[in-house]
Amino acid sequence: MSFYDKDVVSIRDLDRKQIDEIMKVSEKMVPYAMGEKRTKVLEGRILGNLFFEPSTRTRLSFESAAHRLGIDVIDVSEMSMTSISKGETLADTIRMVDAYCDVIVLRHPHEGAARLAAKFSENPVINAGDGAGSHPTQTLLDLFTIKRAKKKIGGLNIVLVGDLKYGRTVHSLIDALAVFGANLTFVAPETLQMPEDNVDHIKRKGADPYLTDKLENVISKADVLYVTRIQKERFPDPSEYNRVAGKYRIDNEMLREAKKDLVVLHPLPRVDEISPEVDNTPHAKYFEQAFNGIPVRMALLYMILGGEGL
Ligand code: NCD
């Protein structure tokens, strides 16, 4: 299998063929993810979950994905409970954990932490979010959700709104969407627009994104609206956060102009970017999106650990 023993640090490490393969295997994992079918295909393997930043979905869905495949999980979730609080470097911690498990899943507040971990670990490392850097497994489940809802990705009008500066989910997602040939619109206040480096990168891949701060001008053309939380924890200055908090709020009134089959996604957690009244509309696909974390992460673990026979 082309994915055996591979690190997943950035979505840029995967080509279109590999992403397609992950989508295919993810589809096969759905009945297992739902508990309709059972397997212990990776029994005896151990996953090390290292979460040095808050997480609900990513952490629990990796854990659930592992259990659904028969993989055991060891974890730490508090830096203060590890020897990092005694001054141990991340490199040394990783070397240790590497010896205790077969695959490491790492979330860390510093951009580049996963790349560093992959350098020091013999076993594969999966990046579960590194600061404002990237979040490749979220991108895979986002793609899977779009593909399931829309049957395609290329040619769709995809509008990303919110904190595009600090949001790692969108940094990864646009790289993949550019490769698939989606039409991209970035909606954010000027201070939270997509960083120039990220825009330049996708332009080199052939994308031609439209940047604006006015959601109301672009919503009617959208096939997919990807809403993000303002990343409060990454603001160096809290007064800057207060200036932009609550700038975009998706409610039924805002969706009046939207296409009937518009799909609204959000990596979650949401604060107040999407009004709960939207949850009951056919547009809302964010809880399905959160569920899709299980089959997609199962597929990744299965391929990385060399699972066979499913
Ligand atoms: C995201 C993250 O951690 O980057 N959450 C997630 O993994 N589903 C988005 C966020 O925290 O806003």
Side-chain angles (χ1 to χ4, degrees), residues 57-58 107 135 138 168-169 229 231 267-269:
R57 271 150 294 273
T58 307
R107 170 168 289 191
H135 197 347
Q138 178 72 41
R168 56 192 170 201
T169 64
R229 176 178 69 87
Q231 308 280 298
L268 302 176

Side-chain angles (χ1 to χ4, degrees), residues 138-150 156 158-161 169-170 173 177 223-229 250 255 262-268 270 273-274 278 282-290 292:
Q138 178 72 41
T139 291
L140 293 169
L141 75 92
D142 294 341
L143 295 174
F144 186 67
T145 308
I146 296 171
K147 194 110 192 271
R148 282 198 123 198
K150 294 288 187 189
L156 291 178
I158 302 190
V159 175
L160 297 95
V161 59
T169 64
V170 287
L173 181 59
L177 293 175
D223 298 303
V224 175
L225 179 64
Y226 193 94
V227 188
T228 63
R229 176 178 69 87
I250 313 303
L255 294 175
L262 167 74
V263 165
V264 178
L265 301 180
H266 191 310
L268 302 176
R270 71 173 146 183
E273 316 77 62
I274 303 181
V278 178
H283 300 300
K285 291 277 188 258
Y286 27 90
F287 294 117
E288 216 170 293
Q289 181 185 5
N292 287 339

Side-chain angles (χ1 to χ4, degrees), residues 243-260:
R243 247 203 305 275
V244 287
K247 166 123 174 122
Y248 302 105
R249 183 174 163 84
I250 313 303
D251 55 18
N252 288 345
E253 174 60 24
M254 174 63 98
L255 294 175
R256 226 161 32 104
E257 299 287 304
K259 290 186 182 181
K260 280 211 159 29

Side-chain angles (χ1 to χ4, degrees), residues 66-226:
H67 289 313
R68 295 279 196 208
L69 292 165
I71 303 170
D72 287 317
V73 178
I74 56 172
D75 68 276
V76 280
S77 55
E78 279 271 346
M79 269 203 230
S80 61
M81 300 295 283
T82 71
S83 289
I84 287 182
S85 68
K86 301 179 187 170
E88 184 170 62
T89 60
L90 178 65
D92 279 2
T93 304
I94 291 293
R95 280 194 185 101
M96 287 309 106
V97 178
D98 183 32
Y100 301 155
C101 63
D102 303 302
V103 55
I104 294 176
V105 177
L106 175 70
R107 170 168 289 191
H108 197 279
H110 297 151
E111 209 168 319
R115 185 71 69 198
L116 180 109
K119 211 172 107 190
F120 285 94
S121 174
E122 298 264 319
N123 284 311
V125 170
I126 302 177
N127 181 6
D130 60 329
S134 67
H135 197 347
T137 66
Q138 178 72 41
T139 291
L140 293 169
L141 75 92
D142 294 341
L143 295 174
F144 186 67
T145 308
I146 296 171
K147 194 110 192 271
R148 282 198 123 198
K150 294 288 187 189
K151 313 290 172 232
K152 62 171 189 175
I153 297 172
L156 291 178
N157 293 326
I158 302 190
V159 175
L160 297 95
V161 59
D163 185 347
L164 307 184
K165 178 178 181 186
Y166 295 116
R168 56 192 170 201
T169 64
V170 287
H171 295 164
S172 291
L173 181 59
I174 63 164
D175 286 344
L177 293 175
V179 171
F180 277 85
N183 306 315
L184 301 176
T185 302
F186 301 156
V187 182
E190 211 178 313
T191 52
L192 295 183
Q193 254 302 357
M194 189 63 77
E196 224 171 277
D197 277 1
N198 298 70
V199 174
D200 287 346
H201 181 82
I202 61 164
K203 281 188 172 165
R204 286 197 296 275
K205 298 273 168 205
D208 184 18
Y210 174 64
L211 279 62
T212 177
D213 65 347
K214 301 210 168 34
L215 180 58
E216 60 278 17
N217 291 356
V218 295
I219 189 131
S220 63
K221 289 217 170 72
D223 298 303
V224 175
L225 179 64
Y226 193 94

